[in-house]
Amino acid sequence: MKEEARSDIDQEPILSSYYISSILAHESMERALANHLSVKLGNPNLPSTTLFDLFVGVLTEETDIIKSVKTDLRAVKERDPACISYVHCFLNFKGFLACQAHRIAHKLWSKGRQILALLIQNRVSEVFAVDIHPGAKIGKGILLDHATGVVVGETAVIGNNVSILHNVTLGGTGKACGDRHPKIGDGALIGAGTCVLGNVRIGDGAKIGAGSVVLKEVPARTTAVGNPARLLGGKENPKRLDKIPSFTMDHTSHISEWSDYVI
């Protein structure tokens, strides 16, 4: 990332101060991330210096978070064609930043520091328009593409290498208490505008089409589309699609391609 930052400065010298303060002045990923998040989330009543001390303490103590951060960086670079570099993702992709802030909030939540965790959730929601409850469990290699309007409930579980587009809700039905939110398997893709409601399982490698409403389990490696969602493909539903959607999508094509599968 430091090499990328220096290259960007060569191309755009006007950004030198920004890149130095955000990347080059820091001796570790932990400190750079703590600084960047604290600057983004701080306000006059919650100074960035206070947040920096909190964030860097958690990131330094909990080494597994930084491993997840690096895996997320690679995932965004590999799976989002709009990502031109790791430093571009680190500085500018609010889905990535919201996910890392959640990782810190989740650690605080799991240690009984719920007031601080909820405060971070609130600031992330206000700044990034991403609302992930600090109790939710999220794996590694996560891509929150665009990210605006993503809502994840308290008891939701998201596996590894999951891709979630904008305006996705992983919520409850309002009819249950306790464990009431979705469980998303490894490698799943959740299309834009989708609602997955209740304690339902989305299997490994499953794909949910844009605008779908999912209220029941989706088996592994199965596509679900529509409102209410219908199952297409997979071992239990061997119906073939006339058109196979592209799941490596640029920012201008993914909505139109997914819309072909909304029933």
Side-chain angles (χ1 to χ4, degrees):
M1 279 177 46
K2 287 189 173 183
E3 291 180 2
E4 291 178 345
R6 294 186 184 99
S7 176
D8 286 355
I9 290 173
D10 290 340
Q11 296 180 54
E12 296 290 351
I14 194 173
L15 297 177
S16 59
S17 296
Y18 177 56
Y19 273 87
I20 290 171
S21 62
S22 299
I23 302 290
L24 297 175
H26 301 285
E27 61 188 22
S28 66
M29 175 74 79
E30 290 88 343
R31 297 185 70 85
L33 181 59
N35 173 75
H36 196 49
L37 288 176
S38 65
V39 170
K40 290 285 189 180
L41 301 178
N43 65 24
N45 297 316
L46 187 65
S48 60
T49 52
T50 300
L51 286 177
F52 174 80
D53 291 340
L54 172 65
F55 292 167
V56 79
V58 174
L59 292 170
T60 301
E61 182 179 347
E62 305 292 342
T63 57
D64 58 314
I65 295 182
I66 289 300
K67 294 178 181 178
S68 297
V69 171
K70 294 177 180 179
T71 305
D72 290 348
L73 274 171
R74 296 188 189 99
V76 177
K77 182 65 169 60
E78 292 171 1
R79 305 209 299 266
D80 187 348
C83 183
I84 60 176
S85 66
Y86 293 113
V87 73
H88 176 56
C89 171
F90 184 89
L91 293 177
N92 302 322
F93 278 34
K94 68 177 186 177
F96 169 81
L97 294 172
C99 187
Q100 309 325 315
H102 166 76
R103 295 190 188 283
I104 295 172
H106 180 70
K107 283 295 182 182
L108 294 170
W109 180 269
S110 65
K111 292 187 174 184
R113 304 179 71 181
Q114 297 183 346
I115 295 173
L116 274 175
L118 291 169
L119 178 62
I120 294 170
Q121 175 197 5
N122 176 257
R123 289 298 298 146
V124 169
S125 178
E126 291 177 340
V127 174
F128 299 132
V130 177
D131 194 347
I132 306 175
H133 193 283
K137 299 177 181 178
I138 298 182
K140 301 177 182 179
I142 303 301
L143 169 61
L144 300 182
D145 193 10
H146 301 295
T148 299
V150 169
V151 176
V152 180
E154 177 183 5
T155 60
V157 178
I158 299 175
N160 299 320
N161 303 313
V162 172
S163 298
I164 298 175
L165 277 74
H166 54 286
N167 287 326
V168 166
T169 296
L170 304 181
T173 62
K175 300 178 181 179
C177 298
D179 192 357
R180 61 197 182 277
H181 296 113
K183 311 298 181 282
I184 310 300
D186 295 345
L189 185 149
I190 313 296
T194 291
C195 291
V196 185
L197 304 177
N199 187 9
V200 297
R201 169 78 181 176
I202 307 299
D204 295 349
K207 297 177 175 64
I208 312 300
S212 298
V213 176
V214 181
L215 303 174
K216 298 181 180 180
E217 177 181 357
V218 177
R221 293 170 292 282
T222 300
T223 297
V225 295
N227 179 8
R230 304 178 187 179
L231 302 182
L232 298 173
K235 184 176 181 181
E236 298 180 17
N237 297 274
K239 179 179 177 180
R240 296 183 64 84
L241 298 174
D242 294 332
K243 176 183 176 184
I244 303 299
S246 171
F247 298 113
T248 303
M249 300 168 288
D250 63 35
H251 287 15
T252 59
S253 66
H254 63 251
I255 295 177
S256 61
E257 292 190 15
W258 269 114
S259 66
D260 294 339
Y261 301 92
V262 178
I263 299 172

